[in-house]
Amino acid sequence: MDRILTLEFVRVTEAAAIKCGRLVGCGDKIGADQLAVDGMRSEFEKVHIDGEVVIGEGEMDEAPMLYIGEKVGLGGDAVDIAVDPLEGTNLVAKGQNGAIAVLAIAPRGCLLHAPDMYMEKIAVGPRAAGRIDINAPVKENLRRVAEAMERSVDDLSVVILDRERHADIIRDCREAGARIRLITDGDVTPAIEVGIEGSGVHMLIGTGGAPEGVLAAAALKCLGGDMQGRLVPHSDEEVRRAKEMGVADIHQVFTIDDLVKGDDCIFSATAITPGNILRGIRYFGGGARTQTVVMRYKTGTVRFVDTIHKFGNRGMSIKL
């Protein structure tokens, strides 16, 4: 992929964030999500790619835009696209931290076509890469990660979605002495955090959405981190759907290289509400200011882009 595309993808996530950010705290998660989709879809039309959405807003009959299989772009490199125009709809509706507009891009055939179902996940940063095992007990994974990071287990901070299904994981982490940060929604943002030194987050564990798992894997691959996942179907229909999308073994443990294949991918996330590593969108008279993290696996670059957008000047943006 052309490296010039990296900044184009920043513009795509910025557009989604700017469009929906006006509804932060307004209690309208459906309206906010639609605005994010509108912003992201319109900006994709300006990018020189031959893109196909492999993870998006749903099937064609469920989503009018950014549906699975939709073609986007002006033509160019053939790429797979995974998008979540608004990761954290409830967070935006309630005005809570951690909502982002996010996408991942890889050459055609390199992103897992993850069905819309649950996935068990465990994710760590670069220093603990290669040390995790989704089949091992939680306490064993904590011990391995602590050893790899040359610290004790009680110095680890673990992010877990605050759900009843995670009661055993939470108990095991606390019994081992690890600190826990419970989150209400959105596990892509903490997946980014585990890969960034100094974020204060060392592991993500638990069950969340499979499509979000692919987005998280793209970020962690760019950051040098590690992740494993396994689908958790709740019905025969979900098993059938997974097989239709190319998952031969429903019990397969997906490594980070299964989730995102090849030697090139790009990940971009723009904050909508404030987070641990990015400030949320801020509006002012005639414009807005956004913060984005954009990464590329092939080059190993991780950029934090601080942008001032002036709405009244033909869409001009100033990158800081």
Side-chain angles (χ1 to χ4, degrees):
M1 293 185 290
D2 192 329
R3 65 188 181 91
I4 296 175
L5 289 172
T6 303
L7 189 56
E8 297 301 313
F9 298 138
V10 170
R11 292 190 177 98
V12 173
T13 55
E14 286 176 342
I18 291 169
K19 194 84 170 177
C20 78
R22 291 287 192 185
L23 290 184
V24 169
C26 293
D28 185 3
K29 67 178 185 179
I30 295 174
D33 187 55
Q34 186 59 61
L35 287 175
V37 171
D38 293 345
M40 184 171 279
R41 183 63 177 82
S42 63
E43 201 65 26
F44 264 129
E45 284 307 299
K46 305 172 186 176
V47 183
H48 288 275
I49 54 171
D50 172 16
E52 179 176 344
V53 177
V54 298
I55 291 175
E57 292 293 284
E59 299 297 322
M60 185 175 180
D61 58 354
E62 298 172 355
M65 290 189 293
L66 296 178
Y67 55 82
I68 296 170
E70 184 176 4
K71 303 290 187 178
V72 299
L74 292 172
D77 292 338
V79 296
D80 283 348
I81 300 172
V83 299
D84 195 342
L86 174 45
E87 157 76 347
T89 54
N90 287 323
L91 299 176
V92 165
K94 297 176 182 178
Q96 296 175 333
N97 291 355
I100 57 174
V102 58
L103 63 77
I105 309 284
R108 185 68 47 82
C110 288
L111 294 181
L112 177 73
H113 295 200
D116 189 10
M117 65 174 65
Y118 282 121
M119 173 185 278
E120 293 178 71
K121 308 170 193 176
I122 182 169
V124 292
R127 287 200 284 163
R131 302 298 296 273
I132 54 174
D133 180 357
I134 202 168
N135 290 315
V138 171
K139 292 178 181 179
E140 174 62 16
N141 276 301
L142 288 168
R143 185 194 65 79
R144 293 180 184 183
V145 171
E147 183 180 75
M149 299 188 74
E150 299 181 336
R151 61 177 66 206
S152 60
V153 172
D154 58 11
D155 285 328
L156 296 180
S157 180
V158 183
V159 174
I160 305 171
L161 274 167
D162 190 5
R163 301 289 188 272
E164 186 176 344
R165 63 179 179 267
H166 293 148
D168 290 344
I169 294 174
I170 293 168
R171 183 200 64 228
D172 289 347
C173 286
R174 286 177 172 157
E175 286 181 355
R179 292 168 292 168
I180 293 174
R181 176 154 68 90
L182 294 175
I183 57 173
T184 60
D185 292 280
D187 59 1
V188 177
T189 296
I192 301 169
E193 293 172 358
V194 300
I196 295 179
E197 195 76 23
S199 71
V201 177
H202 309 107
M203 179 188 290
L204 169 73
I205 190 167
T207 303
E212 290 82 0
V214 175
L215 286 162
L220 284 162
K221 185 160 184 169
C222 292
L223 291 164
D226 198 6
M227 179 174 170
Q228 292 181 5
R230 178 168 50 209
L231 295 176
V232 184
H234 287 157
S235 66
D236 291 341
E237 173 59 25
E238 288 190 344
V239 173
R240 182 194 65 79
R241 177 66 179 139
K243 291 183 176 180
E244 281 186 352
M245 295 182 72
V247 179
D249 179 6
I250 199 68
H251 303 294
Q252 178 182 349
V253 173
F254 294 99
T255 68
I256 195 166
D257 291 322
D258 295 323
L259 296 165
V260 183
K261 299 180 177 69
D263 63 356
D264 199 8
C265 66
I266 297 171
F267 175 93
S268 178
T270 300
I272 300 168
T273 59
N276 196 21
I277 58 174
L278 295 171
R279 294 189 66 180
I281 187 167
R282 289 148 288 160
Y283 296 96
F284 55 85
R289 187 168 184 171
T290 59
Q291 285 194 346
T292 301
V293 60
V294 59
M295 325 170 193
R296 187 179 183 190
Y297 175 67
K298 189 172 186 177
T299 58
T301 51
V302 179
R303 291 184 172 91
F304 290 87
V305 182
D306 193 347
T307 309
I308 295 173
H309 308 263
K310 293 188 176 180
F311 302 150
N313 194 12
R314 303 177 68 180
M316 185 183 76
S317 297
I318 301 172
K319 308 288 181 181
L320 301 180

